[in-house]
């Protein structure tokens, strides 16, 4: 979905077919292992399933384009199936590493493809193919940087150098894409990691590892300032950033105003799933998760859709201050929480409910918490988590 079909050709109904296959295998495994599906169906997924059903029922009465509404809900339901599969497999495997590693591999392949075979999307912005929105590619690179920080272990110097190289390559590709929000997001991600994680972890390391850790941070700062900054000065991204800071983005502002006007006129139920594009004078989505959900599904849909966001906020806040977690687990909780904050920031310019990359990250975020909480409960009760 995120590379092959973008570069070569689209496979009709690939998401639907693979989703049915994945769900079938999971249900078969659950049946043969006598798994209680309620234990592997977290409250976040239950809220989103309820959101989907309510959106479908309400949409049948309020949506102007019911065919678009139904097709969009079916696509979102397929994303939910993928989310459930990721969570189920992670719980069974007792780890999210397969999905994290696979995502990093995907981002590396996308970065290399853009680096050597990238195409001009228009206005000097480079992306993987004529059909690949550079903002989507920039978001993929940003999540990739986050997962590299998730994997980073300063005690392993050689792997740290490789991970640092990946981060630099991903940021380099973001400069190619000209994606303003991706550059701001990755800057927020790195600064937050530096201030809230890297420095605080120094006291837990030996003298030798402290030296390596500090050296790595200094090298990262030097490379960012001396290698990437000159590239930024000559990039289309700087021009777009300067224009944004000087005059803002009037088109996006008008989209947001229109979305909130639609919400004000239809506050309870909205106008129907994915119907903003039907009603809007712009003929497209609103470019904001928050505006889109409110306009399309009203307060009812917003409560159902965003409730899992608050559940994740609560769960990760608790784990941030949990001193019983070991060094690696503590670091990974905090990196994922920072990535989650970045995702919320990106929600002002990206519609997560339509975006595959965002949904994949949310699935891994939910899965990691479930796996680690289950692990800690077993260990607390004197068991061995194998």
């Amino acid at each position: 979905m995120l590379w092959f079909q973008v570069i070569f050709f689209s496979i009709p109904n690939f998401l639907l077919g693979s989703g049915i296959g994945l769900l079938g295998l999971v249900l078969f495994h659950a049946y043969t292992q006598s798994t209680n599906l309620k234990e592997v169906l977290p409250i976040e997924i239950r809220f989103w399933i309820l959101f989907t059903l309510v959106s479908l029922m309400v949409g049948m009465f309020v949506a102007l384009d019911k065919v678009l509404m139904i097709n969009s809900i079916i696509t979102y339901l397929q994303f939910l199936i993928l989310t459930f599969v990721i969570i189920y497999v992670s719980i069974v495997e007792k780890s999210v590493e397969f999905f994290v590693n696979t995502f990093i591999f995907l981002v590396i392949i996308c970065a290399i493809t853009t680096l050597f075979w990238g195409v001009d999307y228009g206005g000097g912005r480079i992306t993987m193919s004529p059909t690949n929105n550079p903002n989507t590619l920039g978001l993929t690179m940003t999540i990739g940087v986050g997962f590299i920080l998730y994997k980073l272990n300063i005690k392993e110097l050689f792997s740290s150098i490789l991970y640092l190289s990946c981060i630099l390559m991903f940021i380099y590709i973001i400069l190619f894409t000209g994606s303003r929000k991706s550059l701001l997001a990755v800057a927020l991600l790195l600064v937050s990691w530096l201030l809230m994680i890297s420095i605080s972890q120094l006291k837990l390391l030996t003298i030798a590892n402290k030296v390596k850790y500090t050296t790595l941070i200094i090298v990262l700062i030097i490379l960012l300032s001396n290698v990437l900054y000159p590239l930024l000065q000559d990039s289309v991204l700087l021009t777009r950033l300067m224009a944004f800071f000087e005059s803002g983005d009037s088109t996006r502002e008008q989209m947001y105003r229109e979305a909130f006007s639609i919400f004000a006129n239809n506050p309870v139920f909205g106008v129907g799933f994915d119907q903003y594009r039907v009603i809007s004078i712009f003929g497209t989505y609103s470019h904001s998760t928050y505006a889109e959900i409110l306009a399309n599904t009203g307060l009812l849909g917003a409560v159902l859709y965003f409730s899992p966001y608050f559940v994740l906020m609560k769960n990760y806040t608790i784990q941030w201050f949990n001193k019983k977690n070991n060094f690696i687990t503590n670091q990974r909780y905090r990196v994922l929480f920072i990535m989650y904050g970045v995702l919320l920031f990106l929600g002002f310019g990206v519609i997560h409910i339509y975006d595959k990359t965002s949904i994949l990250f949310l699935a891994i975020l939910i899965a990691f918490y479930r796996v680690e909480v289950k692990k800690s409960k077993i260990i607390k009760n004197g068991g061995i988590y194998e």
Side-chain angles (χ1 to χ4, degrees):
M1 290 188 296
L2 296 177
W3 182 75
F4 182 90
Q5 294 195 90
V6 172
I7 300 299
F8 297 102
F9 54 87
S10 177
I11 303 174
N13 297 317
F14 173 78
L15 180 59
L16 177 61
S18 60
I20 292 173
L22 284 168
L23 183 61
L25 290 169
V26 164
L27 294 178
F28 177 74
H29 181 274
Y31 174 75
T32 57
Q33 301 297 316
S34 300
T35 303
N36 184 351
L37 288 179
K38 289 184 179 180
E39 295 180 358
V40 290
L41 193 66
I43 190 171
E44 294 92 337
I45 299 296
R46 297 180 199 181
F47 265 116
W48 284 330
I49 291 174
L50 183 58
F51 165 78
T52 305
L53 295 176
V54 170
S55 295
L56 178 61
M57 289 188 292
V58 171
M60 296 304 295
F61 294 97
V62 302
L64 292 180
D65 189 338
K66 291 180 174 57
V67 173
L68 172 64
M69 181 270 296
I70 292 172
N71 288 336
S72 298
I73 286 179
I74 289 174
T75 299
Y76 179 65
L77 187 59
Q78 294 168 44
F79 289 152
L80 278 186
I81 290 173
L82 181 59
T83 301
F84 167 68
V85 169
I86 289 174
I87 294 169
Y88 181 89
V89 172
S90 298
I91 291 175
V92 170
E93 293 292 315
K94 305 177 180 67
S95 172
V96 299
E97 295 308 299
F98 170 78
F99 296 107
V100 171
N101 294 337
T102 302
F103 195 93
I104 290 174
F105 177 74
L106 163 72
V107 181
I108 291 173
I109 293 298
C110 291
I112 292 174
T113 302
T114 307
L115 194 60
F116 293 102
W117 300 283
V119 299
D120 192 335
Y121 192 78
R125 304 179 69 185
I126 306 300
T127 186
M128 285 196 294
S129 76
T131 60
N132 181 219
N133 190 312
N135 291 326
T136 300
L137 180 60
L139 174 61
T140 302
M141 294 296 124
T142 302
I143 301 298
V145 170
F147 280 137
I148 289 293
L149 295 176
Y150 167 94
K151 296 285 292 185
L152 184 64
N153 184 357
I154 193 61
K155 297 177 182 179
E156 300 173 359
L157 183 60
F158 179 72
S159 65
S160 297
I161 294 173
L162 291 178
Y163 287 144
L164 173 62
S165 302
C166 287
I167 288 175
L168 292 173
M169 179 170 66
F170 296 165
I171 297 176
Y172 185 64
I173 297 303
I174 290 174
L175 297 182
F176 272 26
T177 66
S179 176
R180 296 171 299 196
K181 55 180 170 286
S182 294
L183 181 65
L184 294 174
V186 82
L188 177 63
L189 179 61
L190 288 173
V191 170
S192 298
W193 171 79
L194 181 65
L195 297 178
M196 292 191 281
I197 298 179
S198 62
I199 295 177
S200 65
Q201 298 291 8
L202 278 175
K203 61 183 180 181
L204 302 177
L205 300 175
T206 63
I207 297 298
N209 282 327
K210 283 181 181 179
V211 172
K212 290 191 290 184
Y213 202 61
T214 305
T215 302
L216 186 67
I217 293 173
I218 292 173
V219 169
L220 176 61
I221 293 173
I222 291 174
L223 288 175
L224 286 173
S225 59
N226 290 282
V227 176
L228 294 178
Y229 181 70
L231 294 173
L232 175 62
Q233 288 182 306
D234 299 325
S235 71
V236 66
L237 180 54
L238 181 62
T239 303
R240 299 185 75 238
L241 275 173
M242 293 302 296
F244 175 74
F245 288 128
E246 289 174 2
S247 59
D249 192 325
S250 59
T251 301
R252 295 285 177 90
E253 290 174 4
Q254 291 176 36
M255 285 181 168
Y256 302 157
R257 285 198 208 98
E258 188 179 33
F260 286 110
S261 175
I262 292 172
F263 165 67
N265 292 324
N266 307 271
V268 180
F269 300 113
V271 294
F273 194 94
D274 202 14
Q275 295 298 292
Y276 173 89
R277 70 177 74 229
V278 177
I279 296 175
S280 171
I281 60 173
F282 297 99
T284 186
Y285 48 83
S286 63
H287 288 80
S288 167
T289 298
Y290 313 109
E292 189 81 5
I293 293 296
L294 285 171
N296 288 339
T297 64
L299 285 174
L300 178 61
V303 169
L304 293 175
Y305 177 75
F306 288 115
S307 288
Y309 282 62
F310 288 104
V311 171
L312 286 168
M313 181 75 70
K314 182 202 73 172
N315 291 341
Y316 273 82
T317 299
I318 291 172
Q319 293 303 320
W320 182 287
F321 299 102
N322 188 350
K323 297 181 180 180
K324 295 180 181 179
N325 293 325
N326 61 45
F327 176 83
I328 296 297
T329 302
N330 177 274
Q331 175 176 289
R332 290 180 172 179
Y333 262 125
R334 294 187 174 193
V335 169
L336 288 174
F337 194 23
I338 290 173
M339 290 176 68
Y340 180 56
V342 169
L343 191 78
L344 295 179
F345 164 74
L346 286 169
F348 289 100
V350 175
I351 302 182
H352 299 314
I353 200 169
Y354 304 151
D355 182 72
K356 303 181 188 73
T357 304
S358 301
I359 290 172
L360 286 170
F361 170 68
L362 286 170
I364 294 173
L365 193 70
I366 296 168
F368 180 82
Y369 174 79
R370 298 291 164 179
V371 168
E372 292 302 322
V373 165
K374 186 175 181 180
K375 183 191 300 184
S376 62
K377 286 181 179 178
I378 291 175
I379 294 174
K380 182 179 179 181
N381 293 328
I384 300 175
Y385 192 81
E386 296 178 350

